[in-house]
């Protein structure tokens, strides 16, 4: 039994390797914005822009622009 548990644990760990941290942070930023914490959302988006690859920067910039257009209307 213990050996099966280890195999299952490692299978779970393999699945987590496919999680994109940019996706997680974008979801978190959008959740912050939905809850009204615009400053928190901006902070996360700016972190993505400063630390991510080209695609992550593009995606975070798009969300930031939507956030800006929604807050100005």
């Amino acid at each position: 039994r213990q050996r099966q548990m280890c195999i299952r644990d490692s299978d779970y760990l393999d699945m987590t390797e496919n999680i994109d941290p940019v996706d997680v942070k974008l979801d978190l930023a959008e959740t912050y914005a939905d809850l009204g914490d615009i400053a928190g959302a901006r902070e996360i988006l700016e972190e993505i822009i400063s630390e991510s690859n080209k695609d992550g920067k593009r995606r975070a910039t798009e969300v930031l622009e939507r956030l800006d257009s929604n807050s100005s209307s």
Side-chain angles (χ1 to χ4, degrees):
R1 278 186 183 254
Q2 189 135 19
R3 184 178 182 123
Q4 289 177 343
M5 188 93 123
C6 290
I7 292 170
R8 287 185 188 147
D9 287 348
S10 70
D11 287 346
Y12 173 74
L13 292 175
D14 287 343
M15 289 176 11
T16 61
E17 289 177 10
N18 296 327
I19 295 174
D20 183 356
V22 172
D23 289 337
V24 174
K25 288 182 177 182
L26 284 171
D27 286 344
L28 183 59
E30 289 177 346
T31 300
Y32 275 32
D34 289 344
L35 295 172
D37 185 358
I38 304 303
R42 276 184 202 288
E43 185 176 326
I44 294 168
L45 293 167
E46 289 168 359
E47 179 181 315
I48 295 169
I49 291 167
S50 70
E51 297 176 358
S52 186
N53 62 23
K54 187 176 181 179
D55 183 57
K57 289 178 184 187
R58 178 190 56 78
R59 293 166 58 205
T61 301
E62 288 173 0
V63 174
L64 191 56
E65 288 171 355
R66 279 199 317 265
L67 196 62
D68 288 341
S69 70
N70 289 340
S71 65
S72 65
S73 40

